[in-house]
Amino acid sequence: MTGVDKMHSFLIGLYLYLRREFLELVTYKLSLMLGVVSAVVGIVQFAFLAVFLQQGNSFPSLQNYGGSVMAFLVSGALFTGFMSSSLSSFSQLISSEQRTGTLEAVLTTPFSIGRVIAYAAVSSFIQLVIGTFLMITFFWDCILYPLQR
């Protein structure tokens, strides 16, 4: 099997895994709603910080790092999310498959367990990037931009 074939096989497996994750996400409505509520709580926290900054308050110690509070918060949130995701992807994969009763089915697929774990990690990273993008977009459009007018 050449390198291109291996990459093609990996990408097809990743697509199938992401599709399965998406279908599972929309199937469990409570989990989806709790994820949305969690994102809203994060946005509200950033909103309070935006109001704090709009009132003329600042963080003088951030000047040593460029002075951008938003860049500091987003990069910290991304770093924390990636670290948390990478450290817990294996245990979350096992517990999720056990809860849904599909652990045996996943272990009998033609993909190795290492590949399935890689798919879980990539899926988690994609969800983190999409969530962060949506949070930044909503934060800018709905909270910061109206405050700047």
Side-chain angles (χ1 to χ4, degrees), residues 9-110:
S9 171
F10 181 82
L11 290 176
I12 288 174
L14 179 61
Y15 166 75
L16 293 173
Y17 186 85
L18 291 174
R19 183 173 173 263
R20 180 180 152 262
E21 287 283 313
F22 176 76
L23 292 173
E24 185 177 317
L25 178 69
V26 297
T27 300
Y28 295 103
K29 306 289 187 217
L30 180 62
S31 176
L32 182 62
M33 289 304 297
L34 289 175
V36 169
V37 168
S38 175
V40 168
V41 168
I43 291 170
V44 169
Q45 290 173 343
F46 278 172
F48 282 125
L49 184 62
V51 170
F52 174 79
L53 294 173
Q54 289 296 320
Q55 293 173 347
N57 300 309
S58 65
F59 298 103
S61 59
L62 281 181
Q63 295 305 321
N64 298 335
Y65 304 102
S68 172
V69 176
M70 187 65 180
F72 176 76
L73 292 174
V74 169
S75 61
L78 271 173
F79 177 75
T80 303
F82 278 116
M83 287 302 296
S84 172
S85 178
S86 62
L87 291 174
S88 63
S89 64
F90 177 69
S91 64
Q92 285 179 352
L93 170 71
I94 298 298
S95 67
S96 171
E97 298 301 335
Q98 284 176 331
R99 273 193 320 270
T100 58
T102 57
L103 182 60
E104 293 81 10
V106 167
L107 293 176
T108 59
T109 62

Side-chain angles (χ1 to χ4, degrees), residues 113-127:
I113 188 67
R115 189 179 260 192
V116 172
I117 292 170
Y119 293 155
V122 170
S123 170
S124 180
F125 289 153
I126 289 172
Q127 290 173 12

